Amino acid sequence: MRILIVEDDRDLNKIISKKLKAEGFTVESAYDGQEALDYLELLPYDLAIMDIMMPKSDGLETIRHLRAEGNLTPVILLTARDTVQDKVDGLNIGANDYLVKPFSFDELIARIHAVTRTAAGNPGNTYSLADLTLDVKTHTVTRGGREITLTAKEYSLLEFLLRNKNQVLSRQKIEDNVWNFDYGGGTNIVDVYIKYLRKKIDEGFPVRLIHTVRGVGYILKEGEAKENN
């Protein structure tokens, strides 16, 4: 899951970013409203966590601009402004949730999952296909009742595939959503990690779930693809 943190307090931005990365999220940081708009117009994000009081464009104006442009990226406002009217204004302008500083990091994680579940139309904490299940709350993955251990990046890749199951995903789209904006690795990174994931998810099972769509990318679906590797 790709998250944008929009917070002009660089120390707090860094702390939130570090903790979310430790939870397996792909995270980028912006430090003012205009920079946030630049990021959100450039790449797809599953969620933005946004302060209200920021330079150039405050959080409310930034959300107003996003919604006016038809950008429906979920936003959690994270701010010291705690009156009922502040919360009403934030939610009415298009925020999906509102968390007051100081906050519990566990609560932030819970709200992230709740907001993204709602946005994805998934009422629970799990994503599944056939006998494969991923629990975003516990970060556990099982197939056929057997728990599978994944690295943080393998988990992020599988979560993205499951969130978009039965859809053909280009390599570029996968890279944009699973790897950081400043990633400078090899151009075949997606193919490499798909190979890692296949060894853990598909090997030893009668039905393959990860399929190659030649010349395009990959799809997670049940059954054999017409063309696969």
Side-chain angles (χ1 to χ4, degrees), residues 133-157:
T133 300
L134 180 148
D135 189 317
V136 297
K137 186 176 181 180
T138 62
H139 275 211
T140 55
V141 175
T142 60
R143 182 160 187 200
R146 185 180 76 195
E147 187 167 345
I148 298 170
T149 301
L150 301 178
T151 67
K153 193 57 66 179
E154 289 167 352
Y155 176 90
S156 296
L157 174 57

Side-chain angles (χ1 to χ4, degrees), residues 52 60 77 79-93 95 97-100:
I52 290 181
L60 298 183
L77 284 172
T79 175
R81 294 170 60 168
D82 61 354
T83 69
V84 172
Q85 191 58 52
D86 287 328
K87 296 176 183 179
V88 169
D89 290 344
L91 295 172
N92 282 343
I93 211 167
D97 202 353
Y98 195 111
L99 187 59
V100 176

Side-chain angles (χ1 to χ4, degrees), residues 28-191:
E28 272 111 29
S29 295
Y31 302 97
D32 60 63
Q34 184 55 57
E35 187 177 16
L37 290 172
D38 291 341
Y39 272 90
L40 290 163
E41 290 172 359
L42 180 64
L43 289 173
Y45 287 86
D46 297 291
L47 177 72
I49 299 172
M50 191 175 300
D51 191 13
I52 290 181
M53 301 300 292
M54 297 185 297
K56 297 186 180 179
S57 174
D58 68 26
L60 298 183
E61 184 59 35
T62 301
I63 295 173
R64 185 182 291 111
H65 181 89
L66 286 173
R67 301 307 186 235
E69 293 295 319
N71 188 319
L72 300 180
T73 301
V75 177
I76 296 177
L77 284 172
L78 191 62
T79 175
R81 294 170 60 168
D82 61 354
T83 69
V84 172
Q85 191 58 52
D86 287 328
K87 296 176 183 179
V88 169
D89 290 344
L91 295 172
N92 282 343
I93 211 167
N96 300 78
D97 202 353
Y98 195 111
L99 187 59
V100 176
K101 301 174 185 176
F103 60 92
S104 159
F105 187 72
D106 287 340
E107 183 178 3
L108 175 60
I109 292 294
R111 288 175 182 255
I112 288 172
H113 289 315
V115 167
T116 54
R117 282 200 309 267
T118 300
N122 182 20
N125 288 312
T126 62
Y127 292 87
S128 61
L129 176 68
D131 57 350
L132 173 67
T133 300
L134 180 148
D135 189 317
V136 297
K137 186 176 181 180
T138 62
H139 275 211
T140 55
V141 175
T142 60
R143 182 160 187 200
R146 185 180 76 195
E147 187 167 345
I148 298 170
T149 301
L150 301 178
T151 67
K153 193 57 66 179
E154 289 167 352
Y155 176 90
S156 296
L157 174 57
L158 180 60
E159 182 182 352
F160 182 65
L161 293 174
L162 275 167
R163 285 175 177 270
N164 296 277
K165 63 185 178 183
N166 299 314
Q167 297 181 44
V168 177
L169 302 171
S170 69
R171 290 171 175 82
Q172 186 62 55
K173 186 170 184 178
I174 294 171
E175 186 173 323
D176 286 346
N177 280 272
V178 179
W179 275 264
N180 288 330
F181 181 70
D182 57 357
Y183 170 72
T187 56
N188 67 333
I189 188 68
V190 173
D191 298 327

